[in-house]
Amino acid sequence: MFSAPTIGGIVEGTKYYISSIIDNQNFKISDTLISVTATATEAISELITVSSTSGFQVNQPIRFVGNTFGGIIAETTYYVLVVNDGTTFTVSQVPGGGALTLTSATGVMTVNTCAAPRSVTSDSGAMPGTSTAKKTT
């Protein structure tokens, strides 16, 4: 959350999510969280099957929660590598990295990522912000 003074059309006290990291000082934000259910992972193709990949974008941070399977570690930030189709995708451990090696497995886990980045107006300056979650590397 950002507090006053805010710039670029950011609303004070609104919860935002980091939708992509550009570099060590710049990032894109979203005000919407996408939450879907994963049901399978595949070895060799490294595909993760979910209820829908609608809204997924390459290099978006993505986290898996609950009882994970297939070699995915819960509460770890991964990055969308490739959206294969409407229900499968791959992840990497760093933006643009290689596909995470998975094992074939089934189960149910929650997958969280952000919707498309929010448009902000051009502006410059600094504004205070706080995180509502611990940083996971």
Side-chain angles (χ1 to χ4, degrees):
M1 287 193 218
F2 296 100
S3 54
T6 61
I7 58 175
I10 302 298
V11 178
E12 179 181 4
T14 298
K15 187 174 189 175
Y16 294 100
Y17 304 91
I18 295 175
S19 63
S20 64
I21 298 170
I22 298 166
D23 58 37
N24 65 352
Q25 294 183 350
N26 298 287
F27 54 90
K28 293 181 181 181
I29 60 171
S30 173
D31 50 12
T32 306
L33 186 66
I34 296 170
S35 187
V36 297
T37 301
T39 56
T41 55
E42 281 185 44
I44 301 172
S45 67
E46 315 307 355
L47 289 173
I48 301 165
T49 301
V50 293
S51 50
S52 173
T53 56
S54 178
F56 285 23
Q57 295 181 21
V58 172
N59 291 331
Q60 275 180 316
I62 194 162
R63 292 172 64 99
F64 300 85
V65 296
N67 295 322
T68 58
F69 52 85
I72 294 170
I73 300 170
E75 301 295 337
T76 297
T77 301
Y78 296 101
Y79 298 87
V80 175
L81 181 62
V82 174
V83 179
N84 192 53
D85 57 34
T87 58
T88 61
F89 69 105
T90 58
V91 296
S92 63
Q93 292 179 307
V94 296
L100 181 68
T101 301
L102 300 173
T103 59
S104 293
T106 59
V108 176
M109 65 181 150
T110 302
V111 182
N112 294 321
T113 191
C114 297
R118 174 185 168 83
S119 294
V120 295
T121 58
S122 294
D123 211 339
S124 63
M127 58 185 170
T130 57
S131 174
T132 57
K134 68 178 183 167
K135 179 181 176 184
T136 305
T137 54

